[in-house]
Amino acid sequence: MATAGLLLAAGAGRRFGTPKALLACRGGLLVEHTAGILTSAGCDPVVVVLGAAADEVRARARLPQVVHNDAWPTGMGSSLRAGLAALRPTAAVAAVVTLVDMPGLTPAAVRRVARNATTGSLAVAAHRDGRHGHPVLLGRDHWTGVARTAVGDRGARDYLRAHRDRLRVVPCADVADGTDVDRPEQAGLLDA
């Protein structure tokens, strides 16, 4: 049963000063690096949601399926909705969702979170100190509910809280770093 990969990469990177999708990372762009992690983990299809600087990202990056989110200035919620809508016609039973600004993500963490995915799955990675973060697994049965609650800069967080009794927390601190790159002084993480 197929598990899709959904990469949210539409933001302008206001705190960083440039769209994070365009940041250099390990010989390419961060957006390519992160999409490659989803592909290496076996996600199929992999959908990348772009918004800010989308034309430049498309021109410079080799990416799988791309979805343009015209509403990207309204926040991450609109990108999650756009990505889930793009996945509806696929055979995917679930989607592994992650953000572009996590250079420490690994295929092992994605596979671990996606393990035994079903249409009813809900899972989230636990990083150091038990902090919950990406990747997040959303079974197809939850896509409509997640889309309804994904507004502003809130992705699936409210939906996951409302369904915490069904949420599987997956320890990933031993296989990935859940740090997101938000400020220029964190740029060293991109080549670590």
Side-chain angles (χ1 to χ4, degrees):
M1 296 196 290
T3 299
L6 179 53
L7 174 55
L8 306 182
R14 285 184 273 282
R15 285 177 285 183
F16 203 93
T18 189
K20 295 178 202 172
L22 291 169
L23 296 176
C25 180
R26 300 176 186 141
L29 294 181
L30 183 55
V31 68
E32 290 173 303
H33 170 75
T34 311
I37 288 168
L38 293 171
T39 300
S40 294
C43 294
D44 184 31
V46 172
V47 172
V48 180
V49 182
L50 298 178
D55 290 340
E56 184 178 356
V57 175
R58 284 181 194 227
R60 293 180 52 197
R62 293 177 54 197
L63 297 172
Q65 182 179 345
V66 172
V67 172
H68 184 76
N69 175 18
D70 289 326
W72 68 266
T74 66
M76 177 179 35
S78 64
S79 290
L80 181 55
R81 291 191 309 271
L84 291 174
L87 289 173
R88 286 210 181 278
T90 72
V93 299
V96 174
V97 182
T98 197
L99 308 176
V100 71
D101 62 358
M102 296 182 61
L105 183 67
T106 64
V110 173
R111 282 190 296 270
R112 193 177 283 180
V113 169
R115 186 175 295 138
N116 302 317
T118 67
T119 58
S121 294
L122 283 177
V124 62
H127 297 286
R128 58 187 142 87
D129 301 326
R131 184 178 51 88
H132 295 185
H134 290 87
V136 173
L137 179 70
L138 303 172
R140 182 181 280 273
D141 294 347
H142 299 283
W143 293 357
T144 299
V146 167
R148 261 192 249 118
T149 62
V151 294
D153 274 328
R154 299 180 79 80
R157 183 181 312 156
D158 292 339
Y159 187 87
L160 295 174
R161 278 193 185 132
H163 295 84
R164 70 177 57 121
D165 58 319
R166 300 178 65 190
L167 183 64
R168 182 171 52 99
V169 177
V170 182
C172 290
D174 62 321
V175 294
D177 180 353
T179 304
D180 56 343
V181 177
D182 280 333
R183 297 174 309 282
E185 57 269 22
Q186 294 175 296
L189 297 172
L190 298 171
D191 290 315

